[in-house]
Amino acid sequence: MQLLLKSIFTCALFVIFVYATAQSLLKVQETEARQAYLNVTSSSSSNLSQDDVHFLSRRLRQATAGEEGEEGAPSQMDDELEQMTKVHAEAPDAEELRECSEGLVLPLWMPQRNISVGDRLVRGFVYFVLLIYLFVGVSIIADRFMAAIEAITSIERAVVVKGPNNTKQVMHVRIWNETVANLTLMALGSSAPEILLSVIEIYAKDFESGDLGPGTIVGSAAYNLFMIIAVCMIWIPAGEVRRIRHLRVFFVTALFSVFAYVWLWLILSVFTPGVILVWEAIVTLLFFPLTVLWAYIAERRLLVYKYMDKNYRVNKRGTVVAGEHDQVEMDAEKGPKQPMVTSARGNDAEAFDEARREYITLLTELRQKYPDADLEQLEMMAQEQVLARSSKSRAFYRIQATRKMVGSGNLMRKIQERAHSDLTEVKAQLHAGDDEEADDPIRMYFEPGHYTVMENCGEFEVRVVRRGDISTYASVEYETQDGTASAGTDFVGRKGLLSFPPGVDEQRFRIEVIDDDVFEEDECFYIRLFNPSEGVKLAVPMIATVMILDDDHAGIFAFTDSVFEITESVGRFELKVMRYSGARGTVIVPYWTENDTATESKDYEGARGELVFENNESEKFIDLFILEESSYEKDVSFKVHIGEPRLAPDSTHYPKIKEVEKKPVQDLTELDRILLLSKPRNGELTTAYVRIRESQEFKATVDKLVAKANVSAVLGTSSWKEQFKDALTVIPADESEFDNDDEEEEVPSCFSYVSHFICLFWKVLFAFVPPTDICGGYVTFVVSIFVIGVITAIIGDAASYFGCALNIKDSVTAILFVALGTSIPDTFASMIAAKHDEGADNCIGNVTGSNAVNVFLGIGLAWTIAAVYHSSHGMTFNVEPGTIGFAVALFCGEALIAIMLIMFRRWHKGIGAELGGPKVSKYISAAILVFLWVFYVVICILEAYDVIRV
């Protein structure tokens, strides 16, 4: 489809070229046929140059009928009219055949006199091809310029915000406001050729006015407003719509875009016709910062809105946002009313939270789609989609369009590479602490740090390990210490030295436990490490705890703690149940789970069963399976209970205890009471709360990835090597999404290869431009705008030579050829934005903003320079209203129609959006906009060639 549209645009441009050439050459032939009848002295008798004649003819047509001078005598304008009538009677086509003047950069094709029609046609074709090639070149370097602007406007600052529980969180937010960036640097980046062409033309013509620069700006504005929006309307996929989100900003930019051309008409034809005063030029330029300021006020809802009562609501993503009557969030008008809450957090924190929620939602969807994938794979896929779906600037879509046209591939591929590098970098940062431990000194400690042994075990083994550098000799001493168990009564005390020869990382020694027949509670003692050798550090646990369980009792059963905190990524969790104060006999302990704030089958798998403690077995584990959702702020819990323990029927004491239990209490002997006391029973901790919280590593990963979810780094480059590699590599410009993992990687098409080799010269040349990583993109910015200026100067010369060779006026060349050539990359950028963006701001809002900025900055700056120059030399800066003034007035009327049509579509119940909607309505709307552009171009051409007069 894109190839078809490219072909249509190319064919349309070629047809216009052929038609304009044919008409101009017919006039050339007529002029040459009448050249013999021209009287050179008659043209000189007028004492006027060709430019003066042309200027006066425009002024005379605008003069009021019947205007007279003093005492009823004919005015000076009447004298000029009489003089001009005489000249044109004697030489009717004197101004039809032009002689080219030397350009600023491009050498003039000589000779210039006595040129045949065929020669003119060849020259026109060569200049036409050169213009196309220069348009491609300026588009490529403009994208380098846009990448630098994206790097500059993506500079971030650290801010501290309060979380939901008053926890402080450091976030990084952009310094540049989005609206300000779009109307200043972004607008400059996308319209740099038009703006620079206007300024350069003033300098090239010795600070006199020309038609090429202003004509390009006006023609580009008409094309952008009518054709780009029309194409975007029908480019939206069937059944989808795109709405403007920042409606206030759109109203401001739309108002100023129309006012810009009204202002041009006023200063050209009303205030001081044909003369631009210094104050008029300076005011024109000052309207640029005023536009930016007013758009910023509208975007930030300052002034009147600041003092109005505002409600707060929860949007569809769960973010608290300010409520407003003309809500512009997507689908907000169709959604149910949400409860009102008060927001105490800033917009930056809300935006960060919303991005985090989107990441978690994507991760959940991917987990359901790929149940067998591990978390790291899912995190990388989620990061790819977050980058792909994140809000993108005009720079992204402009560069994306250009890369596809010149065979440099798709930026989506760079997003995949970026997501992988982001995840790798984040994981490396999170595990940096683990790697740093390798640099620590040699560490020694017990492993494990807790031992539970039976009283009748005889001896047990204790293990000490060494970590770090094991290539040297090391040693450490150990000794036992009494606790509730005493050396000599309950265990045999011991003290000694452990030696670790080179290459040995662990040593073991044994401790003897003394068994007796006296029923007693569990007891413990300790073993500590001390006096390590030089270069050795004792680490935790440097003291081991030994618990001696009495084997003369069936045991007391309980959990080791009342609360267990686990991460949801743990998967299988073993909950320990301990047997204290004895380990004699086989005991059965029932257990079951119960919901608390966690839900069975959603957060965990329910468990119910029995634990069987064999004789002399002191611990058992309940297997709990946690269901992972990769939830960021998960904090739920459930309960695990153990029931009354009972002796197994095959236990040694089971028959005796059953028999004693049948006796009356008064008949029990002392031995019977001791036997009953040895029955198993529960301890105090029979219920444990298992609290499921988000994984700290997962939480840190999400925060870091969300903070890095910025596509600006995708646009920039980090080294000259990367730039030359990109310049010399052909990459397929596919539209594949990230879910198509099973599809084979596409190979570059024939069109990609042809585009690549045609543009290879520009690619290699602009690979010498410094990468955007140098000085934050500022060096790239300066170098790129200088290169754009040079190429734009060549474009100005080529366009002027092209029109001169084919006898086409500069105003027509500007509106038809130069305006289209500089705007076609923006067309494809807007098409990509219309398809992938959720809103229409990058398609419509940026068009109106760019149109206003082009006039105020492009024409305002050029005319300010010229007006100040002429004023300093005691002269006036003359600007022929002519075609420019007429084009401006015509554009204003049509622009109002286009804006009303866009608003009608938004507020019409059957459409409800500026772009897309029902098939019939969007094609009718697009046809109206195309008609407006065609009508504008045709009328401007007819007026330029005096077919119609105003």
Side-chain angles (χ1 to χ4, degrees), residues 804-859:
C804 181
L806 300 180
N807 207 38
I808 301 175
K809 293 189 175 182
D810 282 347
S811 58
V812 178
T813 302
I815 292 175
L816 273 182
F817 299 103
V818 184
L820 263 66
T822 57
S823 298
I824 284 179
D826 287 327
T827 305
F828 292 108
S830 296
M831 290 166 57
I832 297 173
K835 183 175 181 180
H836 294 285
D837 260 11
E838 293 183 359
D841 298 79
N842 276 321
C843 308
I844 299 178
N846 284 340
V847 166
T848 55
S850 179
N851 286 352
V853 170
N854 284 359
V855 172
F856 295 142
L857 185 59
I859 296 181

Side-chain angles (χ1 to χ4, degrees), residues 93-111:
D93 291 300
E95 67 167 338
E96 292 295 333
L97 193 59
R98 298 163 46 196
E99 233 180 73
C100 301
S101 57
E102 187 73 27
L104 185 64
V105 180
L106 195 65
L108 186 62
W109 192 334
M110 302 300 291

Side-chain angles (χ1 to χ4, degrees), residues 21-53:
T21 301
Q23 294 297 320
S24 299
L25 290 179
L26 284 175
K27 293 183 179 181
V28 170
Q29 287 181 317
E30 294 174 2
T31 302
E32 289 179 345
R34 292 193 297 267
Q35 196 72 24
Y37 299 98
L38 293 177
N39 188 347
V40 178
T41 59
S42 65
S43 61
S44 61
S45 66
S46 65
N47 297 321
L48 296 171
S49 65
Q50 286 187 2
D51 290 339
D52 293 333
V53 170

Side-chain angles (χ1 to χ4, degrees), residues 125-146:
F125 180 77
V126 171
Y127 285 130
F128 179 77
V129 173
L130 177 61
L131 274 176
I132 299 298
Y133 198 63
L134 289 171
F135 288 147
V136 173
V138 79
S139 178
I140 296 175
I141 187 59
D143 290 342
R144 297 300 310 278
F145 186 51
M146 293 288 277

Side-chain angles (χ1 to χ4, degrees), residues 546-655:
V546 182
M547 180 69 70
I548 302 175
L549 301 183
D550 187 80
D551 60 350
D552 300 317
H553 189 275
I556 299 174
F557 298 87
F559 293 109
T560 57
D561 203 347
S562 59
V563 178
F564 295 88
E565 286 196 3
I566 60 175
T567 61
E568 62 172 350
S569 60
V570 71
R572 175 171 172 249
F573 174 64
E574 294 182 339
L575 182 60
K576 183 187 291 188
V577 179
M578 291 296 300
R579 185 184 199 181
Y580 302 102
S581 299
R584 179 172 294 179
T586 302
V587 180
I588 300 173
V589 181
Y591 67 89
W592 66 93
T593 58
E594 179 187 354
N595 286 348
D596 187 30
T597 55
T599 305
E600 184 179 333
S601 300
K602 179 177 179 290
D603 300 306
Y604 70 98
E605 291 184 5
R608 180 178 294 272
E610 294 179 335
L611 297 176
V612 179
F613 286 80
E614 300 293 343
N615 188 41
N616 291 332
E617 194 171 17
S618 61
E619 60 183 33
K620 277 287 189 180
F621 297 92
I622 301 174
D623 288 335
L624 301 174
F625 292 92
I626 309 303
L627 302 179
E628 184 177 5
E629 295 180 313
S630 297
S631 176
Y632 181 82
E633 294 180 343
K634 191 168 190 175
D635 189 358
V636 295
S637 61
F638 64 95
K639 304 174 186 177
V640 183
H641 304 278
I642 56 173
E644 194 67 29
R646 65 182 187 276
L647 283 170
D650 57 350
S651 179
T652 305
H653 297 285
Y654 181 79

